[in-house]
Amino acid sequence: MSSASNREHMEKLMMGALDGELTGKEQAEFNQMLSKDPSMKEEFEKYKKLVKVTKTMKLKAPAPEVWENYWLDVYNRIERGIGWLVFSVGLVILLTYGSFKVVEAVINDPGLAIIIKVGILLTIGGLAILFVSVAREKYFTRKHDPYKEIIR
Amino acid sequence: MDTAGSIVAHDQAAAPVRRISSDAQAIALCQAGNKAAYGYLVEQYKERAYYSALGLVRSHEAALDLSQDAFVRAFRHIKRFDTTKKFFTWYYQILRNLCLNFIRDTKRHARSFSEVYDTQIMHLIDDKQDASAFAEQNELRRALWAAMDELKPKEREIIILKDIQDLAYKEIADILEIPIGTVMSRLFNARKALKAKIERIYL
C-alpha cells in the first residue's frame, strides 16, 4: 500500500472509530495504528473533541403549526398542479376548435380578399407549428433529461 | 399516528380513507392514483426532509418551501418510483437538487446558521454539570456553527446527515448514492475543514 492510500485508509478508519462504525477487526487495526503513531493519536483526540460537540448541535425547530399544516400544504399544491394541468388541456382543446372555426369561416367568406385569407391562414398555421414545436421540445427534453428535477 | 405505528391517511376534509402501516402500502396506493395515501409518506418523512433542507439552505422559509415542493414533484413521478428502493432515498435526490439550485441562485444572499441553529441547548442542563466545561462547549459550538457557514455545501451536507441527523454510514451512502468508503472520506474532509477553522483557538 502506498503512503497516500495508507493515509486515506487511516483517515477512513479514524472516521469509523469516531462514529462507532468499525468492525472488531478494523477497530483492532486502528488501535494498533494509534499505538504506533503518537501524532495520529493526538489528531484523533482533537477529532474526538470536535465530534463530541458537533453531535450536540441542533437546528431550530419550527413552530408546531408548521407540522400541523405541512401535509395540507403539500396536498393543496398537488391539487393545484392537477388543476393547472386540466385547465391547460381544456384551453388547448378550445383553442384548437376556435382556430378550426376561424379557418373555416375565413375560407368560406366570399367578402375577404384572397391575400387577406392567405395572411390569416399563414398566421394561424405558423402559430400552430410554433406551439407543436415548443410542446414537442419540452416533452422530449423532459423525457430524456436525467437531471429533469434540476431547475435551470 | 396511532400507538401501533400505523397512520390514517386523510383526504382534504380530514376524513379517514384507509389504514396504512408501511411505505410499500402507501406507495402502492399512490401509484394507483390515491392522493390521500401520500399523506402517510409526507407525515413519515416531513421532519427529516425539512431538517435536511434547512441544513443546506439555512433558511426556515426556504427549507419549508423546498421540502414541500420536493414532495409535490415526488408525487408527480410516483409511478416511476422503483419499489425496490427506499422512498426517502429517492425523495432526497429531488430535494437535494432543489436545495443546491436554490443555493446557486441565491449565492449573493447567502444565509447564516446563526439564523437557524438551536440556542436553547446553550443553557446548563443540570446543576451537576461542570459549568466551565459547559461554557467552553457552548463557545466551541457557537464557533462551529460559524465555521459551518464557510464550508462547501457538500461538506455541510455530510456533517448535517451524520452528526446532526445521526444517520448511519449505510443510510448516508444510500441517500447520496455513493459507496460507504466515499462517505468516510467525504466526512473526513468535511471534519478536517471544520477543525482547521477552529483549531487554533479551541482544539
Side-chain angles (χ1 to χ4, degrees):
Chain A
M1 207 185 275
S2 71
S3 67
S5 62
N6 200 24
R7 175 85 198 163
E8 198 184 325
H9 179 60
M10 184 278 291
E11 290 167 356
K12 287 180 180 176
L13 287 180
M14 191 185 279
M15 291 303 107
L18 285 169
D19 296 314
E21 295 248 10
L22 295 185
T23 61
K25 196 179 160 195
E26 287 170 332
Q27 187 65 54
E29 186 190 354
F30 181 66
N31 290 344
Q32 199 181 12
M33 280 173 141
L34 278 192
S35 64
K36 281 184 190 166
D37 189 342
S39 66
M40 191 203 290
K41 195 172 181 187
E42 192 187 335
E43 197 180 350
F44 180 59
E45 289 305 319
K46 285 182 180 176
Y47 277 111
K48 251 163 86 173
K49 192 175 173 187
L50 176 84
V51 170
K52 192 180 167 194
V53 181
T54 53
K55 284 189 187 293
T56 65
M57 290 158 77
K58 294 272 176 286
L59 289 162
K60 213 182 271 181
E65 308 85 77
V66 167
W67 298 136
E68 285 164 24
N69 298 328
Y70 194 96
W71 160 234
L72 198 61
D73 288 347
V74 172
Y75 187 97
N76 288 338
R77 286 189 192 200
I78 290 171
E79 205 170 51
R80 248 168 258 152
I82 294 168
W84 275 111
L85 183 73
V86 172
F87 173 78
S88 306
V89 171
L91 198 65
V92 168
I93 292 170
L94 289 178
L95 284 174
T96 308
Y97 180 75
S99 304
F100 172 74
K101 282 289 170 193
V102 169
V103 170
E104 194 180 36
V106 167
I107 290 172
N108 294 335
D109 187 349
L112 272 181
I114 292 288
I115 189 73
I116 304 290
K117 284 184 181 179
V118 171
I120 292 171
L121 292 176
L122 287 179
T123 306
I124 292 174
L127 277 174
I129 291 167
L130 286 173
F131 178 79
V132 170
S133 172
V134 170
R136 192 183 50 202
E137 187 189 17
K138 288 226 168 218
Y139 176 75
F140 279 107
T141 306
R142 263 191 91 71
K143 206 170 178 186
H144 298 107
D145 183 4
Y147 306 105
K148 51 183 160 282
E149 295 306 337
I150 299 176
I151 302 164
R152 293 179 174 88
Chain B
M1 204 178 293
D2 69 15
T3 48
S6 65
I7 197 167
V8 178
H10 295 270
D11 64 10
Q12 184 74 322
V17 292
R18 192 186 288 250
R19 276 201 171 271
I20 299 171
S21 55
S22 69
D23 284 12
Q25 196 187 352
I27 289 163
L29 285 167
C30 292
Q31 287 181 330
N34 187 332
K35 273 207 303 282
Y38 196 54
Y40 173 84
L41 294 168
V42 174
E43 291 294 338
Q44 287 288 101
Y45 298 109
K46 65 185 180 185
E47 291 192 28
R48 205 159 148 190
Y50 168 80
Y51 286 115
S52 299
L54 188 61
L56 281 169
V57 299
R58 293 169 289 172
S59 151
H60 162 72
E61 292 78 16
L64 191 61
D65 182 50
L66 293 169
S67 63
Q68 290 181 328
D69 194 13
F71 274 120
V72 173
R73 285 167 190 245
F75 181 78
R76 271 189 217 146
H77 303 294
I78 197 90
K79 285 193 177 161
R80 277 197 258 146
F81 174 69
D82 176 358
T83 48
T84 59
K85 292 186 175 174
K86 287 183 178 169
F87 174 77
F88 190 78
T89 306
W90 178 67
Y91 164 84
Y92 188 81
Q93 303 298 321
I94 301 171
L95 177 66
R96 185 170 187 259
N97 286 334
L98 287 176
C99 289
L100 294 178
N101 284 332
F102 176 86
I103 292 168
R104 186 200 59 200
D105 295 344
T106 57
K107 220 171 189 176
R108 287 183 189 170
H109 313 285
R111 302 288 189 125
S112 156
F113 272 114
S114 63
E115 295 172 37
V116 294
Y117 77 80
D118 192 349
T119 51
Q120 283 185 350
I121 51 168
M122 293 197 170
H123 301 300
L124 215 56
I125 294 164
D126 68 60
D127 296 337
K128 288 177 193 161
Q129 269 185 295
D130 179 345
S132 66
F134 195 77
E136 191 192 334
Q137 276 210 352
N138 278 341
E139 275 305 305
L140 179 53
R141 201 176 288 128
R142 231 191 303 263
L144 277 169
W145 279 119
M148 287 272 280
D149 277 331
E150 294 171 33
L151 294 183
K152 293 172 191 156
K154 282 187 180 178
E155 291 174 342
R156 274 208 304 270
E157 178 182 45
I158 199 102
I159 299 272
I160 297 279
L161 292 173
K162 180 64 222 157
D163 291 344
I164 298 174
Q165 296 212 26
D166 199 25
L167 300 185
Y169 285 175
K170 174 78 176 68
E171 288 176 283
I172 299 174
D174 285 346
I175 279 174
L176 299 179
E177 293 186 318
I178 52 176
I180 289 182
T182 309
V183 172
M184 291 163 108
S185 45
R186 203 178 277 186
L187 199 52
F188 176 79
N189 290 330
R191 284 173 173 164
K192 188 180 172 188
L194 208 52
K195 184 166 80 78
K197 291 185 195 301
I198 59 160
E199 191 163 31
R200 269 191 297 172
I201 307 165
Y202 292 101
L203 295 176

